Amino acid sequence: MNLDNIRIVLVNTTHPGNIGGVARAMKNMGLSRLYLVAPEKFPDEQAVWRAAAAGDLLERAVITASVEEAIGDCQFVVGTSARERRIPWPLLDPRQCAARIGESSGREQVAIMFGREDRGLTNEELQLCNLHLHIPTADAYSSLNLAMAVQIVCYELRMLLVADKLPVSEDEQWDTPFCTVANLERFYVHLEQTLTAIEFLDPAAPRQLMARLRRLYGRVRLDEMELNILRGILTETQKWVELGRRGEKAE
Ligand code: SAH
């Protein structure tokens, strides 16, 4: 387990005070890598004030224009959500999630994404994730303050580090590195093009096909070699489609 390989990604945060609160929550628990995707107001005095003695995390925060930039080099991505979405994704509570993240962080880059104060993460952003994390709450009010949500997630990671007993799973002994978000995204583009070419996917009525395929591959966690095999299959499929088209013309 390595907390230095875990980044907290805040997407489009509105209130700078929350960013400061997050920095403090992280530093209290021993996390240090804060990524801010297009924050509304940052740097800002309120952030510094709420961060208290965690101002160094704000200074070192990485600011990006897009989510893809913030998590492109990660092999494991968790999205947090205050409510259930249309397509159910593997959903864990913070403790279960900490076990998965803790294990993965030993040798991979891990991102935990937090959403906007008013709207959370979009469906597209949630579909970039291997799994979703929900903090159990009372039914009547499920939305926590952003910094408090970060606090709970980081606390569970801390507890795991303190307990120093990680469950051993298959993933840990895997011989090939798991693929990064950036490579997986290129694969999804290729897959969508190919499915359209063979007319399995109708761009006019895509329904939830790509979302469901993302969920499938996200659940499996492809390694780099498996990803290359799938890309090879897609490339060959596209060649055959081309040949078929030319054949049609020749006839
Ligand atoms: N109204 C928004 C809530 C956003 S709260 C919505 O319905 O999605 C801001 C962020 O705090 C969320 O995007 C999530 O990252 C985190 N958060 C708040 N409550 C949470 C909960 N119960 N479980 C997991 N994350 C939560």
Side-chain angles (χ1 to χ4, degrees):
M1 177 166 190
N2 185 354
L3 296 182
D4 293 336
N5 284 342
I6 303 174
R7 69 190 68 172
I8 299 293
V9 181
L10 305 184
V11 181
N12 287 163
T13 310
T14 311
H15 301 293
N18 279 335
I19 299 177
V22 166
R24 181 174 188 170
M26 288 171 64
K27 190 165 179 179
N28 284 145
M29 298 299 127
L31 282 91
S32 60
R33 297 177 60 202
L34 177 59
Y35 283 63
L36 306 173
V37 179
E40 209 140 288
K41 261 173 97 187
F42 188 84
D44 189 273
E45 252 172 43
Q46 279 188 54
V48 176
W49 185 70
R50 281 279 302 279
D56 55 325
L57 261 70
L58 295 180
E59 277 160 32
R60 277 186 287 131
V62 179
I63 300 171
T64 69
S66 69
V67 168
E68 283 76 8
E69 265 176 81
I71 65 171
D73 62 328
C74 292
Q75 288 95 351
F76 196 71
V77 182
V78 173
T80 60
S81 172
R83 56 198 161 101
E84 298 200 356
R85 305 281 156 165
R86 211 154 98 224
I87 297 190
W89 224 254
L91 185 70
L92 301 184
D93 70 31
R95 196 158 301 165
Q96 297 164 327
C97 215
R100 293 287 303 274
I101 294 170
E103 172 202 313
S104 176
S105 72
R107 46 178 221 161
E108 285 163 15
Q109 291 298 316
V110 180
I112 314 175
M113 285 208 285
F114 292 84
R116 301 150 187 86
E117 288 94 330
D118 58 344
R119 292 178 291 123
L121 295 167
T122 63
N123 283 336
E124 289 71 33
E125 286 157 357
L126 284 165
Q127 286 170 14
L128 293 168
C129 302
N130 295 97
L131 47 91
H132 292 166
L133 179 159
H134 174 74
I135 301 166
T137 61
D139 292 341
Y141 195 15
S142 70
S143 169
L144 277 75
N145 165 265
L146 176 60
M148 294 190 187
V150 172
Q151 183 75 75
I152 288 173
V153 174
C154 294
Y155 167 76
E156 289 295 343
L157 289 167
R158 183 91 216 146
M159 283 304 282
L160 201 62
L161 193 73
V162 171
D164 194 31
K165 53 171 198 296
L166 280 174
V168 178
S169 79
E170 283 171 17
D171 281 5
E172 220 166 327
Q173 289 125 30
W174 209 249
D175 56 347
T176 312
F178 290 110
C179 60
T180 61
V181 169
N183 285 341
L184 200 58
E185 285 307 305
R186 281 190 272 275
F187 164 68
Y188 288 136
V189 172
H190 199 170
L191 180 62
E192 193 167 359
Q193 286 168 350
T194 312
L195 293 177
T196 308
I198 63 171
E199 292 175 7
F200 187 78
L201 175 67
D202 177 4
R207 288 191 304 259
Q208 295 285 347
L209 181 65
M210 286 314 295
R212 289 193 189 278
L213 289 170
R214 278 172 176 274
R215 185 174 70 169
L216 164 67
Y217 288 115
R219 206 163 70 220
V220 172
R221 293 197 76 201
L222 298 171
D223 69 31
E224 289 292 352
M225 198 192 293
E226 291 162 343
L227 192 83
N228 284 338
I229 294 171
L230 291 176
R231 293 287 300 261
I233 294 174
L234 294 178
T235 304
E236 283 305 311
T237 307
Q238 286 186 329
K239 268 191 215 156
W240 280 91
V241 172
E242 255 326 291
L243 282 176
R245 283 215 188 100
R246 266 188 247 141
E248 261 171 38
K249 266 186 217 152
E251 272 168 25

